[in-house]
Amino acid sequence: MTGKKDKAKTIPAANALWGGRFGAGPAEIMEKINASIGFDHRLYRQDIAGSRAHCRMLVAQRIISEADSAAILQGLDQVEAEIAAGKMVFDPKLEDIHMHVESRLKEIIGEAAGRLHTARSRNDQVATDFRLWVRDAIDAIDGALHELLAALIDRAEDYADAVMPGFTHLQAAQPVTFGHHLLAYGEMFSRDRGRFADCRRRLNECPLGAAALAGTSYPIDREMTASALGFDRPTANSLDAVSDRDFALEFLSAASITAVHLSRLAEEIVLWASAQFGFIALSDAFTTGSSIMPQKRNPDAAELARAKAGRVIGALNSLLIVMKGLPLAYSKDMQEDKEATFDAANALALSLAAMTGMVRDLTANRQRMASAAGVGFTTATDLADWLVQRLSMPFRRAHHVAGSLVKLAEEKGCGLEALTLADMQGVEPAITAEVFTVLGVENSVKSRTSFGGTAPTRVREAARRARERLS
């Protein structure tokens, strides 16, 4: 004998939370992998809200006594206050937030605490808590999206007539206005709000009362608990209630799409703020310097918002992979649903706040943008359209003529507007001096008056409609 203690023999006896089925406690590594309190303590408000609703239903159905119910409710208030004040010490031996609440409740009110778990399981309890948490997260994100949209609309109105190059393939394509460009993101974020709203509607069913997987023999009132917690209805199938996380997947899907939209806007801010573009400037509030290069002003907030999209998308992939092979009903794999979801919600909330701040902070360089708008023959389409409208030329022929004039301007090293009338008539004799009215970038954007177009009048109309929708 070496004299060393055998760890397996020093583990405490049965786990009181699991009951008499187990004669010995878990191995140390089992305790670590099994515990979720390190992250699911965030559910404490939702867990206690669910417990209150369950307790009130139990007494209303005469499953527990009025005295026990009063003690439980008073004890839950104390537990919630202690956790909110940071007074609870979380112990991995108690596994999760549900057991921490129940254990502390027992210390406060004694054996009556054990009646709270009548007619429910941790399976329906955690499914309820998690739905409540995701619902709260959606409401917070919707508020953040509202603020971002308000900022975009404000800036779109400020820059409704500021001409800039519109790009395809990151090549100058046609002149647009900066306000029009910003409202494009407004449309994207408006759809994001719709996706979150759809997700909220679908998740708003209450699993409480599904118990472990088969329902319960107690005469519970699931409509009562669902209503008390703000759900539209109870879930219709007890197996489904405890075993699916499609509401979290849908939340992460909507979050991922939103994060991609944020990342695209962040990428443009990074480009626009560079010396090579010079379209916008950000203040010290949303930039950082360099430890070695004193001239640098780095758009780090935009870069980090761009990077955080990876975390959100990764959370969606993670949960999809967790769920893809699980049979009904509950499996412990599903404990991995929360940590990534919490992280994704944090990352998205931070990115939304940063982006809102940057949009409100940025200042556009109108002169630089307008100058860049004319580079790359961006009014060539206007020229082709003029040939169609004034000379009744088929568009394909007009496209060919305009292309020939672009080639000529390229050879001469000038813009289309710098070609002489004689130059143009050498390619197409029917061209008149009127053509020059459509070759300036200002004239180009003013002509784009179709619904949804970039003309300043249309941009102001679009901003007004967007503000009405927002309010």
Side-chain angles (χ1 to χ4, degrees):
M1 300 290 290
T2 63
K4 293 181 179 178
K5 290 184 179 180
D6 183 344
K7 287 188 177 180
K9 293 180 180 178
T10 62
I11 291 172
N15 186 315
L17 298 174
W18 297 346
R21 171 65 179 83
F22 290 80
E28 184 179 354
I29 192 63
M30 177 60 189
E31 198 171 82
K32 288 181 178 179
I33 196 171
N34 196 49
S36 59
I37 189 59
F39 51 86
D40 72 10
H41 63 270
R42 293 181 60 166
L43 297 173
Y44 80 91
R45 292 191 189 279
Q46 290 81 13
D47 190 70
I48 290 172
S51 291
R52 287 192 184 106
H54 186 65
C55 177
R56 292 184 176 113
M57 181 276 295
L58 290 176
V59 72
Q61 295 299 104
R62 299 185 179 181
I63 297 171
I64 65 172
S65 70
E66 292 275 2
D68 284 341
S69 172
I72 289 168
L73 292 172
Q74 184 176 3
L76 288 172
D77 289 345
Q78 182 175 333
V79 175
E80 183 175 31
E82 289 176 0
I83 298 176
K87 294 180 179 179
M88 179 172 283
V89 177
F90 297 118
D91 182 357
K93 289 185 175 64
L94 292 176
E95 296 184 16
D96 55 34
I97 189 59
H98 323 298
M99 289 307 175
H100 276 77
V101 171
E102 185 174 328
S103 177
R104 180 62 183 135
L105 185 64
K106 185 176 180 181
E107 290 174 353
I108 295 169
I109 70 171
E111 289 299 321
R115 300 191 187 282
L116 178 59
H117 208 55
T118 306
R120 77 174 181 184
S121 161
R122 276 194 293 179
N123 292 356
D124 62 337
Q125 190 177 354
V126 68
T128 301
D129 294 356
F130 197 23
R131 282 182 187 246
L132 288 170
W133 190 93
V134 171
R135 192 176 71 183
D136 290 343
I138 288 172
D139 291 344
I141 288 169
D142 183 70
L145 280 166
H146 183 282
E147 291 303 308
L148 176 55
L149 281 163
L152 287 166
I153 294 166
D154 287 345
R155 303 325 302 277
E157 288 178 331
D158 293 340
Y159 294 111
D161 58 353
V163 180
M164 67 175 290
F167 297 93
T168 60
H169 309 279
L170 203 57
Q171 305 292 317
Q174 291 179 274
V176 296
T177 61
F178 192 40
H180 190 59
H181 198 115
L182 293 175
L183 287 180
Y185 284 103
E187 293 297 317
M188 296 180 202
F189 293 124
S190 292
R191 291 193 296 272
D192 290 330
R193 290 187 78 196
R195 272 182 280 272
F196 281 113
D198 288 344
C199 175
R200 194 188 194 284
R201 279 192 290 272
R202 269 185 288 277
L203 74 78
N204 209 35
E205 296 181 346
C206 184
L208 203 56
L213 76 162
T216 178
S217 59
Y218 291 96
I220 62 173
D221 183 348
R222 294 191 63 205
E223 295 283 353
M224 179 179 175
T225 49
S227 176
L229 293 170
F231 288 108
D232 295 330
R233 65 190 70 84
T235 51
N237 183 285
S238 60
L239 283 167
D240 172 60
V242 300
S243 67
D244 205 354
R245 294 294 184 267
D246 58 355
F247 65 92
L249 288 169
E250 189 171 3
F251 168 73
L252 290 173
S253 176
S256 294
I257 295 170
T258 303
V260 167
H261 289 156
L262 287 168
S263 182
R264 295 182 71 182
L265 179 53
E267 169 69 5
E268 300 220 79
I269 287 175
V270 170
L271 290 173
W272 294 338
S274 68
Q276 288 71 24
F277 275 75
F279 289 179
I280 66 167
L282 293 168
S283 76
D284 293 351
F286 287 93
T287 55
T288 64
S290 166
S291 63
I292 189 173
M293 295 171 285
Q295 82 282 8
K296 294 297 291 296
R297 184 190 289 274
N298 300 320
D300 282 3
E303 292 170 10
L304 288 166
R306 183 176 61 188
K308 287 184 184 297
R311 298 179 71 145
V312 180
I313 296 165
L316 172 60
N317 287 337
S318 173
L319 187 52
L320 284 167
I321 293 166
V322 166
M323 297 301 299
K324 72 174 182 62
L326 298 186
L328 300 182
Y330 181 83
S331 295
K332 194 71 172 186
D333 310 52
M334 292 161 68
Q335 184 168 288
E336 293 297 312
D337 58 0
K338 285 172 282 298
E339 197 166 11
T341 304
F342 293 161
D343 183 74
N346 288 346
L348 185 60
L350 190 56
S351 297
L352 283 165
M355 191 61 66
T356 301
M358 282 185 286
V359 169
R360 291 207 177 278
D361 181 76
L362 68 83
T363 302
N365 186 330
R366 289 173 175 265
Q367 184 176 352
R368 183 68 176 263
M369 289 195 301
S371 177
V375 174
F377 311 104
T378 57
T379 58
T381 305
D382 298 275
L383 172 57
D385 289 340
W386 183 87
L387 294 169
V388 171
Q389 292 172 358
R390 292 293 184 269
L391 305 184
S392 299
M393 191 178 289
F395 182 79
R396 283 302 171 200
R397 169 149 175 73
H399 186 282
H400 179 79
V401 170
S404 298
L405 289 169
V406 166
K407 184 178 179 182
L408 177 61
E410 215 166 26
E411 291 169 352
K412 286 178 170 287
C414 66
L416 284 170
E417 68 281 0
L419 290 174
T420 66
L421 181 58
D423 289 333
M424 292 191 180
Q425 289 177 338
V427 174
E428 173 51 60
I431 292 177
T432 68
E434 185 190 357
V435 73
F436 293 102
T437 63
V438 301
L439 294 183
V441 293
E442 300 283 350
N443 291 328
S444 175
V445 296
K446 287 178 182 177
S447 72
R448 304 292 172 177
T449 56
S450 58
F451 181 81
T454 193
T457 54
R458 286 299 195 183
V459 172
R460 293 187 180 97
E461 289 172 4
R464 186 181 67 251
R465 287 194 303 272
R467 195 179 298 283
E468 288 170 355
R469 290 197 304 269
L470 197 62
S471 62

